[in-house]
Amino acid sequence: MNISQIDDNLANCVVDGTDITWIHWTDKIFSVHGIFYDEEEKLFMRVPKETSEATLNPKLHPLVRMTSGGRIRFVTDSEYISIKASLPYFSPIPSMSITTTHGFSVYADGLYRNRYSPTFNKFLEAGEPDSNKRIFFSERKFIDSGKKDRLIEIYFPLYGGVSDIYIGIDPGSTLKPAPSYKITKPLVFYGSSITQGACVTRPGNDYLSMLARMLDADYINLGFSGNGNAEEPMIEYLSSIDASLFAFDYNMYQSKKDRVLPPYYSIYEKIRKKHPDSLILMHDKPGCDYEPYPEREKIINDAYQKALASGDKLVGFISAYDFFGDGNRDSCMVDVSHPSDIGAMRMANAIYSAIKQITERKI
């Protein structure tokens, strides 16, 4: 049974190729954030290939090719936005929607307007996983009525890759560059799957995207699912970014005792040495109702207290419990590790409050 034949509201709005003006992502009108295009790989990436290879962790290689945190921004008065994208083949993930892993979300003037996503049939048609294969999809979605300029922000897939993209608008519509973010120096978040965006329902609903919209800030998502191991090359790369804020939550998994991880405080020291005026936020993953981990919490809090004692007024700390606040905490989780959309929203609110406290302390 095909549900779209019963309820057309659940059907994909496939482009028929007419009445659309297509513009390639390389047009100077568009601004690309959080990712860059690697000409050799023919893919958008989050981290240079040489950095991921230097970590000697082969599991990072596919993860840096996943476009979590990637965005395209522009201004248009078009009532419709079309997306025509070419995607490398990745297997669908059981715990996430295909929109999360391989779809796009479009916001207009900071408000969510629509999602764009390939169908499972596209993946079935592609056959067995192969890094050289691409699936292609194209959709046209209504954004808003009336001819008025709107700031459009297109969020890229959280767990898939993108090899090419065209943006479509109504013929005769205007197209202008987007204004700069209020905070132009990016927020940089380093971590694992929670930071990357598992298991929210779509791009733009991960906590980092929500936080950035609250602050009107650019950002870079360096969350690598199951592999936020704080390898030296990765921390060196992170520290090389001219950022307004650094936050890190890396894999101190008690169940993976074979991992040799750097001391938590040493990461803070490396960042602070290069960025004396940037905010630094220390935290662990949320969800302690399901998996208590007081040892990790103590390690992070001890590092925070040590930084405060050194006279650092630009450092903050968030307890694992405080991320979700009080009431309906079980609604904040998809499983024992990953936040739902509600959980991600509460995380964004908690981080926003922590940033405000650091800023007030600075003054």
Side-chain angles (χ1 to χ4, degrees):
M1 180 187 70
N2 187 341
I3 189 64
S4 65
Q5 295 176 356
I6 299 172
D7 184 352
D8 57 12
N9 290 315
L10 299 179
N12 278 38
C13 301
V14 179
V15 171
D16 61 10
T18 62
D19 297 328
I20 297 173
T21 298
W22 292 106
I23 308 101
H24 194 245
W25 70 269
T26 54
D27 192 286
K28 63 182 180 180
I29 291 291
F30 299 132
S31 59
V32 180
H33 301 263
I35 51 177
F36 63 92
Y37 192 78
D38 186 291
E39 291 290 349
E40 182 182 348
E41 292 284 314
K42 303 299 181 186
L43 287 171
F44 288 97
M45 298 178 68
R46 290 186 287 159
V47 171
K49 183 170 60 174
E50 55 268 25
T51 297
S52 63
E53 290 177 348
T55 64
L56 303 180
N57 178 6
K59 293 181 180 179
L60 271 176
H61 299 170
L63 294 170
V64 302
R65 292 159 174 78
M66 296 177 181
T67 54
S68 183
R71 286 146 287 134
I72 288 179
R73 284 164 55 94
F74 58 96
V75 171
T76 184
D77 62 357
S78 178
E79 296 181 357
Y80 286 84
I81 297 294
S82 300
I83 291 179
K84 184 163 58 174
S86 180
L87 313 178
Y89 187 94
F90 285 99
S91 298
I93 302 172
S95 58
M96 299 184 220
S97 72
I98 200 168
T99 303
T100 300
T101 57
H102 296 81
F104 299 78
S105 292
V106 173
Y107 284 69
D109 294 330
L111 298 176
Y112 172 67
R113 292 301 184 187
N114 233 314
R115 64 156 183 87
Y116 299 70
S117 180
T119 63
F120 281 105
N121 287 342
K122 286 289 185 182
F123 290 93
L124 295 174
E125 292 167 5
E128 293 299 315
D130 185 320
S131 61
N132 294 319
K133 289 183 178 178
R134 300 286 186 270
I135 66 165
F136 173 84
F137 83 98
S138 183
E139 285 193 291
R140 181 175 186 260
K141 295 281 183 81
F142 177 73
I143 299 300
D144 203 355
S145 59
K147 282 288 184 180
K148 60 180 181 180
D149 283 349
R150 303 173 186 88
L151 171 59
I152 302 297
E153 193 159 27
I154 298 176
Y155 289 76
F156 277 47
L158 299 178
Y159 269 78
V162 179
S163 56
D164 205 4
I165 182 169
Y166 287 80
I167 310 300
I169 59 175
D170 292 339
S173 299
T174 61
L175 191 65
K176 304 174 185 176
S180 298
Y181 287 103
K182 182 179 179 180
I183 300 174
T184 56
K185 286 188 177 184
L187 318 175
V188 177
F189 277 67
Y190 177 75
S192 193
S193 54
I194 296 172
T195 301
Q196 185 170 339
C199 296
V200 299
T201 55
R202 56 174 174 79
N205 266 9
D206 57 292
Y207 77 84
L208 184 44
S209 296
M210 292 185 186
L211 173 68
R213 289 196 298 274
M214 293 177 187
L215 296 168
D216 189 14
D218 199 357
Y219 69 96
I220 297 173
N221 188 321
L222 296 181
F224 302 108
S225 198
N227 284 274
N229 301 334
E231 299 97 339
E232 185 174 349
M234 191 61 70
I235 298 304
E236 286 296 322
Y237 175 74
L238 182 154
S239 301
S240 72
I241 301 170
D242 185 15
S244 60
L245 177 143
F246 295 90
F248 55 96
D249 155 33
Y250 76 101
N251 284 353
M252 295 188 292
Y253 296 141
Q254 292 169 332
S255 61
K256 300 179 179 180
K257 299 184 184 299
D258 57 322
R259 294 187 175 185
V260 179
L261 301 174
Y264 193 92
Y265 189 78
S266 69
I267 300 175
Y268 158 80
E269 287 183 305
K270 289 180 180 179
I271 296 172
R272 179 55 78 220
K273 183 177 181 180
K274 291 186 177 181
H275 302 278
D277 299 320
S278 298
L279 307 187
I280 296 179
L281 186 61
M282 302 179 181
H283 64 90
D284 198 359
K285 66 176 185 175
C288 57
D289 300 25
Y290 298 87
E291 182 189 349
Y293 31 81
E295 294 178 8
R296 291 210 318 242
E297 179 98 346
K298 185 177 185 306
I299 290 171
I300 299 171
N301 192 31
D302 285 350
Y304 168 64
Q305 295 299 333
K306 186 175 180 180
L308 280 182
S310 72
D312 192 340
K313 294 183 178 181
L314 298 178
V315 63
F317 167 77
I318 302 177
S319 167
Y321 184 90
D322 291 342
F323 268 126
F324 290 158
D326 298 321
N328 299 312
R329 290 174 61 85
D330 58 325
S331 299
C332 295
M333 300 295 288
V334 172
D335 50 32
V336 297
S337 296
H338 303 105
S340 62
D341 289 358
I342 295 173
M345 179 184 67
R346 290 191 178 182
M347 287 183 70
N349 288 333
I351 297 170
Y352 181 88
S353 296
I355 292 173
K356 186 177 179 181
Q357 290 174 4
I358 300 171
T359 304
E360 290 175 348
R361 185 195 304 148
K362 178 183 176 183
I363 297 172

